[in-house]
Amino acid sequence: MPNHGPENLSNRNRTAEAFTLTSAFWFAAATSFGLIAAGYLIAPDFMANIEYIHFGRIRPMHVNAVLFGFVTPGLLAAAFYYVPRLLRTRLFSQRLGVFNAVFWNITIAYGMIAISTGHTQAREYAEFPWVVDIMVVVCFVLAVFNILMTVRRRKEPILYVSIWYVCAAVILTSITYCLGNVIWKPDTGALQGIPDAIILWFYGHNIFGLLLTPLALGLAYYVLPIATRSPLYSHTLSLLGFWSLIVVYTHIGAHHLLQVPVPTWLKTISVVDSVAMVIPVMVFLINIWYTVKGKLGEIHSDIGAKFVFTGTIYYFFVNIQGSMMALPYVQRITHFNNWVVGHAHIGVLGFAGLLALGGLYYILPKLTGRPLHSRFLADMQYWLVLIGITGFAIDLTTVGLIQGNAWYNGETVYRILPEIHPYYVLRASLGVLIVIGAYTGLYNVIRTLYFNRGAKS
Amino acid sequence: MKMTPTVIIVGILSLLTAITLVVIYWPYTHRVTAPSEIFRNRSPEEEAGRKIYLANGCVYCHSQSIRAFDWGHGAERIAQAGDYLGDEPIVLGSERTGVDLSQEGGEHPDDWHVAHFMNPRNTRPSSIMPPFEWLGMERLTTLTRYIQSLGLKNADDRMQRQRFFKQHAVRAFEAGPVENVRWLASEIPEGWHQIPNPYPTSEASLQRGHKIYQFFCIGCHGPIGDGMGPAQPWIYPPPLNFTLLKGRKLSGGILYYQIMNGITGTAMPYFKRELESQKIWEVGNYVAVYFINQSDANQEPRGIDSSWEPGFNLKQKSADD
């Protein structure tokens, strides 16, 4: 079980606060972008001819803001809170941490402006132009430095599993980000031909595999045992889960390219080990679900833990779905359509996003020493986001099956468009719920951090 | 196993290095891809058009990756690694909200693309692509050069065919409606001239034809079939005015053939990928009944009537015997 550091260690953690605010802000911004994009799919003449928010630009803005503005900083906020506590020390440098967060916001904002004005490298998840790429790498390197120096100054000899995951996430992403963005070619940020697809999906897949997932698992390993006052079920499973995740997740990106002329052995590896992803995922889930077994009451009473636990259930679904989608026979139907969009939303919002939100709500009362501004609003956000993402999962999967089966039977893309229109309307409506949830969360976070009139706990 | 900082850092870095060497570096250095038979380099103008394509996120809705089991646009040629040698970045795409564009070059003439970019619903009424009028004519022209190069040497062949027939189409149009209709019919194999529309006109079939007309035809030929749809200002030769066609011996077979096969060189696309036989006959009959005001539906020669057709006339049949 993670140890609570003594209270006198917790001076105000400005770094965690700054990342919390960053995450809450970009959640609201990113979902707004997503809603605009969803609007275009329903009514393409809606906001026609406004260059800067045109569909082809607002969609990558949405994706990048979610990945690098909302989820990553949200999970890092919690990490900057629990890493020092688990190590019984202070964060190496609060000043560096706050600078890191400020620079992070400048980076994302710059990236948004770049994409919105057409300065994009047009590779999914790697759209940011070279200057922004460098800034993103600087952000990660600063986080690596701050965290590793904290590890070095620790007073707790044993490294808890959350620390392993946080270290792996920031260190490995600093590297895969450079590789995936082909950072040694500032002009295009790309290789030529098929190798470009291989390196892009190696990287794209590892944004989930080596950034969001390890950060999210580290958070779950921290929050759930404490919230339920239970010791972690198994150290051996923690080890197995960690190393199998690093081994397996890292090399299966080619399952995005099963229908593309890339070397067959690469496809084979990616298919086989996409199925093997069941190992790290189930090992983690067995470990964490056995830890909280019989303690749903404690989870329910802590809004942070509630988000986190719900996220682990989505982790189960997204993994089963992901392994299945990597089978070539299944992928004939699911590739190129909204099934994949659904999968991405289940993974990034349903799993990593819910965990990030859980992290924010878990640490906020501890950062401020007061209860949340409003538990009601936090619960409301929980249900808005949960209904939204569950609806997304059902709606987008259904549309994907309609599209995939129709195409496979010889219908053309154009013929299916009127048929899927109602599902796009439903999708945007569900998106409204998520957007309202995001703004509710932003309001709650700001009130809790800066205008909280509640009694000090 | 004791997890120290050294174990973690050395462990994850060695794993990442090993994996990167195998799945990235190895295929990159040990796979020499030869250009495919359709490969050629892009011209500077096509390359400039590609930059516009990338900057505006076309890649999020249009794949460039034809698979072995695809049926739609471009499906005649399955993608090969050697097609992509000039692509930096490669834009295979991950979602097909619009059609795959691997082989788009030469599928349509340039004027169709301009009408389509101005507002995609000009030419494709059910399209959900946003308009690109804001790019301005100069950038749209450059972008069109890139689009027309998709498919490389195959696209060049198709463009040559487009340009060749465009000359004929323009000449025929400028010679007036009589000559225009004569030219259009003369390009259709003789057998089709003799075939009347085999299905009888019914209220239901006209309704279905009307629906197909609205999904596919109305953008160019307009709601009253006079060729004044919203795409008309961008297209030359302009869309055919059906109301001039009465008494010009246009059989149902001729209409069917034109809808099925399109008229290369003009903005009239082929619809055989999107519409099956019955839908083509019924939209043809809708045009014949409502706009030409002259339909040969279910006239002789008609063979044995289909089993679903109402109104079996035993007397007429036995008289024929």
Side-chain angles (χ1 to χ4, degrees):
Chain A
M1 176 180 175
N3 286 298
H4 293 275
E7 269 313 302
N8 61 11
L9 286 179
S10 59
N11 278 353
R12 231 175 146 170
N13 189 335
R14 298 272 180 198
T15 306
E17 282 178 24
F19 274 100
T20 300
L21 197 58
T22 304
S23 175
F25 169 75
W26 285 108
F27 186 30
T31 49
S32 308
F33 298 156
L35 187 60
I36 294 173
Y40 274 106
L41 290 171
I42 298 171
D45 291 306
F46 156 84
M47 303 201 225
N49 294 317
I50 307 177
E51 174 176 354
Y52 305 108
I53 58 163
H54 208 260
F55 181 84
R57 299 192 180 170
I58 202 99
R59 185 193 188 270
M61 286 164 70
H62 165 68
V63 171
N64 283 284
V66 165
L67 294 177
F68 299 113
F70 158 47
V71 183
T72 306
L75 294 167
L76 278 178
F80 278 116
Y81 166 76
Y82 65 69
V83 166
R85 295 185 76 86
L86 287 170
L87 300 170
R88 294 177 194 271
T89 182
R90 289 166 195 276
L91 187 65
F92 167 67
S93 167
Q94 283 292 343
R95 214 186 249 179
L96 177 62
V98 172
F99 174 75
N100 198 349
V102 172
F103 191 65
W104 200 292
N105 281 284
I106 296 172
T107 305
I108 304 299
Y110 189 8
M112 291 301 117
I113 294 168
I115 295 176
S116 143
T117 51
H119 297 85
T120 166
Q121 293 179 332
R123 299 160 81 241
E124 269 191 291
Y125 312 137
E127 281 94 348
F128 288 153
W130 186 75
V131 179
V132 183
D133 285 344
I134 297 292
M135 291 166 74
V136 171
V137 174
V138 169
C139 287
F140 276 105
V141 169
L142 291 179
V144 170
F145 182 69
N146 214 350
I147 287 166
L148 287 187
M149 288 306 280
T150 311
V151 171
R152 203 173 155 183
R153 295 182 168 197
R154 71 191 189 279
K155 302 204 174 70
E156 165 64 54
I158 294 172
L159 298 182
Y160 181 64
V161 51
S162 299
I163 306 286
W164 319 342
Y165 276 116
V166 172
C167 290
V170 288
I171 293 173
L172 295 180
T173 301
S174 310
I175 300 166
T176 56
Y177 192 90
C178 295
L179 284 174
N181 284 276
V182 194
I183 214 152
W184 59 95
K185 287 172 92 173
D187 187 23
T188 56
L191 301 176
Q192 232 172 20
I194 290 292
D196 188 46
I198 296 175
I199 202 167
L200 175 69
W201 287 113
F202 162 80
Y203 154 78
H205 191 72
N206 281 330
I207 286 297
F208 302 98
L210 294 182
L211 177 64
L212 305 188
T213 303
L215 284 179
L217 300 193
L219 175 76
Y221 272 122
Y222 179 76
V223 169
L224 291 178
I226 294 185
T228 58
R229 295 185 190 80
S230 312
L232 188 62
Y233 176 67
S234 161
H235 175 65
T236 311
L237 287 183
S238 306
L239 278 172
L240 180 61
F242 176 77
W243 289 112
S244 58
L245 184 90
I246 305 289
V247 172
V248 177
Y249 222 142
T250 316
H251 66 269
I252 55 178
H255 63 204
H256 292 256
L257 301 169
L258 294 184
Q259 302 165 348
V260 173
V262 303
T264 308
W265 62 266
L266 197 59
K267 295 182 191 176
T268 311
I269 291 178
S270 75
V271 172
V272 172
D273 284 344
S274 296
V275 176
M277 269 307 293
V278 172
I279 298 168
V281 175
M282 290 318 296
V283 163
F284 162 77
L285 287 174
I286 289 168
N287 205 7
I288 211 74
W289 285 349
Y290 266 100
T291 303
V292 302
K293 194 177 170 193
K295 300 282 178 61
L296 282 179
E298 277 89 338
I299 289 174
H300 191 257
S301 66
D302 184 319
I303 180 67
K306 191 163 141 183
F307 268 107
V308 171
F309 183 74
T310 312
T312 62
I313 297 171
Y314 262 104
Y315 188 42
F316 174 77
F317 284 120
V318 77
N319 164 64
I320 297 297
Q321 189 192 26
S323 295
M324 199 173 76
M325 286 160 67
L327 302 173
Y329 190 70
V330 177
Q331 205 174 102
R332 282 185 211 170
I333 301 299
T334 62
H335 197 51
F336 274 146
N337 55 50
N338 278 291
W339 174 291
V340 181
V341 182
H343 179 66
H345 280 90
I346 297 170
V348 179
L349 181 56
F351 162 53
L354 284 187
L355 272 115
L357 292 170
L360 301 190
Y361 283 122
Y362 185 80
I363 65 172
L364 269 173
K366 297 175 172 76
L367 292 177
T368 57
R370 296 163 193 268
L372 277 183
H373 163 67
S374 166
R375 162 82 198 223
F376 169 77
L377 286 181
D379 264 321
M380 188 176 107
Q381 185 187 18
Y382 173 86
W383 285 109
L384 285 170
V385 173
L386 187 62
I387 294 169
I389 182 59
T390 308
F392 264 34
I394 297 168
D395 183 68
L396 292 170
T397 304
T398 311
V399 185
L401 288 174
I402 292 174
Q403 292 174 291
N405 282 297
W407 299 344
Y408 197 55
N409 285 333
E411 280 291 6
T412 57
V413 170
Y414 180 73
R415 285 295 271 155
I416 308 304
L417 292 175
E419 197 176 330
I420 63 179
H421 178 78
Y423 297 89
Y424 278 147
V425 175
L426 178 58
R427 183 247 205 114
S429 318
L430 293 161
V432 171
L433 300 186
I434 298 173
V435 172
I436 295 172
Y439 280 92
T440 310
L442 177 61
Y443 171 77
N444 209 359
V445 165
I446 292 175
R447 285 296 299 259
T448 304
L449 280 176
Y450 303 114
F451 307 98
N452 198 338
R453 300 209 181 87
K456 238 179 156 53
S457 62
Chain B
M1 181 177 194
K2 185 158 186 245
M3 294 286 276
T4 63
T6 319
V7 170
I8 294 172
I9 294 171
V10 173
I12 60 175
L13 287 181
S14 339
L15 285 172
L16 183 68
T17 311
I19 287 167
T20 309
L21 284 177
V22 175
V23 301
I24 303 294
Y25 187 71
W26 179 265
Y28 181 62
T29 49
H30 282 77
R31 193 171 159 95
V32 182
T33 305
S36 67
E37 80 281 6
I38 65 165
F39 181 78
R40 68 161 171 82
N41 287 310
R42 278 187 286 270
S43 74
E45 203 188 7
E46 289 161 358
E47 208 52 69
R50 189 170 201 264
K51 292 218 162 64
I52 298 170
Y53 184 88
L54 298 179
N56 295 295
C58 307
V59 301
Y60 299 107
C61 294
H62 295 286
S63 56
Q64 289 189 20
S65 173
I66 291 288
R67 310 169 293 177
F69 49 86
D70 275 331
W71 293 64
H73 228 55
E76 300 310 316
R77 188 175 190 291
I78 298 159
Q80 295 176 13
D83 302 352
Y84 298 108
L85 290 183
D87 291 4
E88 183 181 332
I90 192 170
V91 284
L92 299 169
S94 60
E95 205 187 342
R96 216 176 253 179
T97 305
V99 295
D100 187 282
L101 295 181
S102 305
Q103 294 290 329
E104 175 60 34
E107 282 267 350
H108 302 279
D110 291 355
D111 52 352
W112 183 94
H113 281 292
V114 172
H116 183 256
F117 281 132
M118 285 295 159
N119 189 320
R121 281 149 298 289
N122 284 350
T123 56
R124 303 284 275 165
S126 317
S127 168
I128 59 168
M129 171 169 149
F132 282 85
E133 190 182 351
W134 56 275
L135 277 175
M137 198 49 98
E138 197 186 325
R139 278 191 288 177
L140 283 182
T141 311
T142 313
L143 179 58
T144 304
R145 293 276 53 82
Y146 170 62
I147 301 297
Q148 297 291 38
S149 79
L150 287 166
L152 301 171
K153 284 182 186 167
N154 279 357
D156 295 344
D157 293 345
R158 288 190 292 262
M159 281 310 288
Q160 224 179 337
R161 186 188 297 129
Q162 289 282 6
R163 280 190 288 266
F164 177 80
F165 284 104
K166 179 149 221 135
Q167 292 174 351
H168 289 263
V170 168
R171 204 180 304 140
F173 172 74
E174 289 175 352
V178 178
E179 170 57 18
N180 196 25
V181 173
R182 193 205 59 77
W183 176 73
L184 287 173
S186 73
E187 292 293 336
I188 293 170
E190 190 51 36
W192 293 91
H193 291 248
Q194 320 303 333
I195 300 176
N197 192 319
Y199 298 133
T201 305
S202 72
E203 204 48 49
S205 79
L206 285 175
Q207 266 179 27
R208 291 193 293 264
H210 179 59
K211 190 175 166 189
I212 297 293
Y213 187 83
Q214 287 185 319
F215 281 166
F216 291 91
C217 320
I218 198 165
C220 294
H221 295 287
I224 56 168
D226 59 353
M228 295 301 278
Q232 185 272 342
W234 314 103
I235 287 176
Y236 195 80
L240 193 59
N241 177 352
F242 298 133
T243 60
L244 299 174
L245 299 181
K246 192 170 183 180
R248 295 189 201 276
K249 295 190 182 140
L250 282 183
S251 67
I254 291 180
L255 289 171
Y256 184 97
Y257 188 89
Q258 298 287 42
I259 297 166
M260 171 182 73
N261 217 36
I263 302 163
T264 307
T266 77
M268 173 72 183
Y270 61 85
F271 289 100
K272 64 180 156 206
R273 286 192 204 274
E274 299 183 310
L275 298 174
E276 316 85 324
S277 161
Q278 183 192 355
K279 288 173 181 150
I280 299 181
W281 286 120
E282 284 180 344
V283 73
N285 197 37
Y286 171 79
V287 168
V289 169
Y290 278 100
F291 304 141
I292 305 178
N293 196 21
Q294 187 177 57
S295 166
D296 58 3
N298 211 29
Q299 285 177 7
E300 297 291 347
R302 65 186 206 197
I304 301 173
D305 285 340
S306 281
S307 58
W308 58 269
E309 285 180 31
F312 175 54
N313 193 333
L314 188 62
K315 210 176 192 182
Q316 186 197 338
K317 273 288 167 198
S318 29
D320 292 348
D321 296 340

